[in-house]
Amino acid sequence: MAEIINNPNVLERLREEIDSAVGSSRLIQETDLPNLPYLQAVVKEGLRLHPPGPLLVRTFQERCEIKGYYIPEKTTLVINAYAVMKDPDSWEDPDEFKPERFLSPKEDEKELAFKYLPFGSGRRGCPGGNLSQIFVGTAVGVMV
Ligand code: HEM
Protein backbone atom coordinates (compact mmCIF):
# COMPACT_ATOMS: atom_id res chain seq x y z
CA MET A 1 0.00 0.00 0.00
CA ALA A 2 2.91 2.36 0.75
CA GLU A 3 4.31 1.80 -2.75
CA ILE A 4 0.87 2.44 -4.28
CA ILE A 5 0.49 5.67 -2.32
CA ASN A 6 4.00 6.80 -3.25
CA ASN A 7 3.29 6.07 -6.94
CA PRO A 8 0.05 7.93 -7.76
CA ASN A 9 0.18 6.77 -11.40
CA VAL A 10 -0.03 3.17 -10.15
CA LEU A 11 -3.01 4.04 -7.92
CA GLU A 12 -4.75 5.71 -10.83
CA ARG A 13 -4.19 2.76 -13.17
CA LEU A 14 -5.39 0.33 -10.48
CA ARG A 15 -8.57 2.33 -9.90
CA GLU A 16 -9.26 2.44 -13.62
CA GLU A 17 -8.79 -1.32 -13.92
CA ILE A 18 -11.04 -2.05 -10.94
CA ASP A 19 -13.71 0.42 -12.10
CA SER A 20 -13.81 -1.09 -15.58
CA ALA A 21 -13.68 -4.78 -14.52
CA VAL A 22 -15.74 -4.65 -11.30
CA GLY A 23 -17.63 -1.34 -11.41
CA SER A 24 -17.95 1.11 -8.55
CA SER A 25 -20.99 -0.33 -6.76
CA ARG A 26 -19.27 -3.19 -4.88
CA LEU A 27 -15.90 -4.27 -3.45
CA ILE A 28 -13.75 -6.72 -5.38
CA GLN A 29 -13.89 -10.45 -4.62
CA GLU A 30 -11.39 -13.27 -5.12
CA THR A 31 -13.24 -14.34 -8.27
CA ASP A 32 -12.54 -10.93 -9.88
CA LEU A 33 -8.75 -11.43 -9.78
CA PRO A 34 -8.43 -13.16 -13.21
CA ASN A 35 -9.93 -9.97 -14.71
CA LEU A 36 -7.46 -7.72 -12.85
CA PRO A 37 -4.01 -8.42 -14.33
CA TYR A 38 -2.58 -5.05 -13.27
CA LEU A 39 -3.59 -5.66 -9.64
CA GLN A 40 -1.87 -9.04 -9.79
CA ALA A 41 1.25 -7.36 -11.20
CA VAL A 42 1.17 -4.80 -8.35
CA VAL A 43 1.18 -7.63 -5.78
CA LYS A 44 4.08 -9.35 -7.56
CA GLU A 45 6.10 -6.15 -7.73
CA GLY A 46 5.41 -5.45 -4.04
CA LEU A 47 6.77 -8.88 -3.12
CA ARG A 48 9.80 -8.37 -5.38
CA LEU A 49 10.85 -5.17 -3.59
CA HIS A 50 9.68 -6.13 -0.09
CA PRO A 51 9.89 -9.91 0.35
CA PRO A 52 8.79 -10.93 3.87
CA GLY A 53 11.25 -13.87 3.63
CA PRO A 54 14.36 -12.27 2.14
CA LEU A 55 16.82 -15.03 3.07
CA LEU A 56 16.43 -18.68 2.05
CA VAL A 57 18.35 -21.30 4.00
CA ARG A 58 19.42 -24.80 2.90
CA THR A 59 21.69 -27.44 4.49
CA PHE A 60 23.65 -29.88 2.31
CA GLN A 61 22.82 -33.50 3.22
CA GLU A 62 25.90 -34.74 1.32
CA ARG A 63 29.17 -33.18 0.21
CA CYS A 64 29.20 -32.24 -3.46
CA GLU A 65 30.83 -30.09 -6.11
CA ILE A 66 29.08 -27.20 -7.87
CA LYS A 67 30.91 -25.32 -10.64
CA GLY A 68 34.31 -26.15 -9.17
CA TYR A 69 33.38 -25.33 -5.56
CA TYR A 70 33.72 -28.23 -3.10
CA ILE A 71 30.95 -28.11 -0.55
CA PRO A 72 31.30 -30.24 2.60
CA GLU A 73 28.38 -32.19 4.07
CA LYS A 74 26.15 -30.18 6.49
CA THR A 75 27.20 -26.84 5.00
CA THR A 76 24.54 -24.18 5.52
CA LEU A 77 23.79 -22.12 2.42
CA VAL A 78 22.03 -18.76 2.80
CA ILE A 79 20.56 -17.37 -0.43
CA ASN A 80 19.96 -13.64 -0.50
CA ALA A 81 16.64 -13.59 -2.40
CA TYR A 82 16.32 -9.87 -1.64
CA ALA A 83 19.53 -9.17 -3.58
CA VAL A 84 18.58 -11.57 -6.42
CA MET A 85 15.31 -9.68 -6.88
CA LYS A 86 17.14 -6.35 -7.10
CA ASP A 87 20.00 -7.55 -9.30
CA PRO A 88 20.55 -4.93 -12.06
CA ASP A 89 21.78 -7.72 -14.40
CA SER A 90 18.30 -9.29 -14.23
CA TRP A 91 15.99 -6.33 -13.63
CA GLU A 92 15.66 -3.02 -15.43
CA ASP A 93 15.50 -0.12 -12.92
CA PRO A 94 15.63 -2.64 -10.06
CA ASP A 95 14.82 -0.17 -7.27
CA GLU A 96 11.78 1.30 -9.03
CA PHE A 97 8.23 0.16 -8.30
CA LYS A 98 7.11 -0.79 -11.82
CA PRO A 99 4.30 -3.38 -11.85
CA GLU A 100 4.19 -3.15 -15.67
CA ARG A 101 7.30 -5.33 -15.82
CA PHE A 102 5.13 -8.33 -14.88
CA LEU A 103 2.71 -7.66 -17.74
CA SER A 104 5.41 -8.01 -20.36
CA PRO A 105 5.24 -11.30 -22.27
CA LYS A 106 9.04 -11.65 -22.10
CA GLU A 107 8.76 -12.24 -18.34
CA ASP A 108 7.79 -15.86 -18.87
CA GLU A 109 7.60 -18.36 -16.01
CA LYS A 110 10.83 -20.13 -16.94
CA GLU A 111 12.92 -16.97 -16.85
CA LEU A 112 11.26 -15.75 -13.64
CA ALA A 113 12.03 -19.02 -11.85
CA PHE A 114 15.69 -17.98 -11.51
CA LYS A 115 15.31 -14.34 -10.56
CA TYR A 116 11.96 -13.99 -8.76
CA LEU A 117 12.03 -15.74 -5.38
CA PRO A 118 9.54 -14.22 -2.87
CA PHE A 119 8.28 -17.73 -2.13
CA GLY A 120 11.67 -19.44 -2.28
CA SER A 121 12.18 -22.26 -4.73
CA GLY A 122 12.28 -26.00 -5.25
CA ARG A 123 10.96 -28.74 -2.96
CA ARG A 124 11.12 -26.52 0.13
CA GLY A 125 9.57 -23.55 -1.64
CA CYS A 126 6.47 -21.96 -0.08
CA PRO A 127 3.38 -24.12 -0.71
CA GLY A 128 1.18 -21.06 0.00
CA GLY A 129 2.36 -18.96 -2.97
CA ASN A 130 -0.85 -19.18 -5.02
CA LEU A 131 -3.08 -18.73 -1.98
CA SER A 132 -1.10 -15.62 -0.94
CA GLN A 133 -1.41 -14.09 -4.40
CA ILE A 134 -5.20 -14.46 -4.01
CA PHE A 135 -5.62 -13.08 -0.50
CA VAL A 136 -3.05 -10.29 -0.82
CA GLY A 137 -4.55 -9.31 -4.21
CA THR A 138 -8.07 -9.25 -2.76
CA ALA A 139 -7.01 -7.28 0.34
CA VAL A 140 -5.06 -4.67 -1.66
CA GLY A 141 -7.85 -4.44 -4.27
CA VAL A 142 -10.51 -3.88 -1.58
CA MET A 143 -8.43 -1.11 0.03
CA VAL A 144 -7.83 0.59 -3.33
C1 HEM B 1 2.81 -13.35 0.96
C2 HEM B 1 2.74 -14.46 1.69
C3 HEM B 1 3.87 -15.45 1.84
C4 HEM B 1 5.20 -15.31 1.58
C5 HEM B 1 5.95 -14.11 1.02
C6 HEM B 1 5.82 -16.58 1.91
C7 HEM B 1 7.18 -16.85 1.78
C8 HEM B 1 7.77 -18.03 2.13
C9 HEM B 1 9.18 -18.32 1.98
C10 HEM B 1 10.22 -17.35 1.41
C11 HEM B 1 9.39 -19.58 2.41
C12 HEM B 1 10.73 -20.34 2.40
C13 HEM B 1 10.86 -21.01 1.04
C14 HEM B 1 12.22 -21.61 0.73
O1 HEM B 1 13.04 -21.79 1.64
O2 HEM B 1 12.49 -21.94 -0.47
C15 HEM B 1 8.11 -20.11 2.84
C16 HEM B 1 7.91 -21.37 3.33
C17 HEM B 1 6.71 -21.87 3.71
N1 HEM B 1 5.48 -21.25 3.59
FE1 HEM B 1 5.16 -19.38 2.92
N2 HEM B 1 4.86 -17.45 2.35
C18 HEM B 1 3.65 -16.80 2.32
C19 HEM B 1 2.42 -17.33 2.65
C20 HEM B 1 2.20 -18.63 3.05
C21 HEM B 1 0.89 -19.22 3.26
C22 HEM B 1 -0.44 -18.49 3.05
C23 HEM B 1 1.10 -20.51 3.69
C24 HEM B 1 0.14 -21.58 4.06
C25 HEM B 1 -1.16 -21.53 3.81
C26 HEM B 1 2.54 -20.72 3.71
C27 HEM B 1 3.16 -21.88 4.09
C28 HEM B 1 4.51 -22.11 4.06
C29 HEM B 1 5.14 -23.34 4.51
C30 HEM B 1 4.44 -24.57 5.10
C31 HEM B 1 6.51 -23.20 4.28
C32 HEM B 1 7.63 -24.22 4.59
C33 HEM B 1 7.87 -25.10 3.36
C34 HEM B 1 9.00 -26.10 3.61
O3 HEM B 1 9.91 -25.79 4.37
O4 HEM B 1 8.99 -27.20 3.02
N3 HEM B 1 3.18 -19.57 3.31
N4 HEM B 1 7.13 -19.15 2.65
Side-chain angles (χ1 to χ4, degrees):
M1 285 310 294
E3 291 288 5
I4 292 169
I5 290 163
N6 283 329
N7 291 275
N9 57 322
V10 172
L11 178 59
E12 197 175 327
R13 186 162 170 188
L14 262 182
R15 279 185 168 156
E16 274 167 20
E17 186 184 68
I18 293 172
D19 280 347
S20 89
V22 180
S24 50
S25 60
R26 64 170 177 87
L27 294 174
I28 78 155
Q29 297 171 348
E30 287 176 15
T31 45
D32 294 312
L33 288 174
N35 303 323
L36 299 166
Y38 190 67
L39 173 59
Q40 294 187 50
V42 166
V43 173
K44 284 188 182 147
E45 180 70 336
L47 287 172
R48 181 185 71 83
L49 283 178
H50 310 285
L55 300 175
L56 309 170
V57 181
R58 295 290 185 274
T59 305
F60 286 75
Q61 288 184 331
E62 301 170 5
R63 68 189 168 90
C64 67
E65 188 190 329
I66 300 175
K67 290 200 170 178
Y69 291 93
Y70 292 93
I71 299 164
E73 188 190 349
K74 293 186 182 154
T75 297
T76 298
L77 172 73
V78 181
I79 299 145
N80 188 345
Y82 179 81
V84 171
M85 291 193 286
K86 283 187 162 210
D87 183 349
D89 291 339
S90 302
W91 301 94
E92 208 181 296
D93 302 327
D95 297 327
E96 306 273 313
F97 188 77
K98 285 188 172 175
E100 300 74 28
R101 65 175 93 241
F102 286 103
L103 297 175
S104 152
K106 76 173 186 207
E107 291 298 359
D108 64 70
E109 298 282 316
K110 226 171 170 182
E111 201 189 314
L112 280 180
F114 291 104
K115 63 180 197 180
Y116 184 68
L117 305 168
F119 298 107
S121 184
R123 282 186 292 176
R124 298 303 300 269
C126 177
N130 289 337
L131 177 61
S132 316
Q133 185 74 19
I134 294 169
F135 73 67
V136 177
T138 308
V140 171
V142 163
M143 285 188 271
V144 167

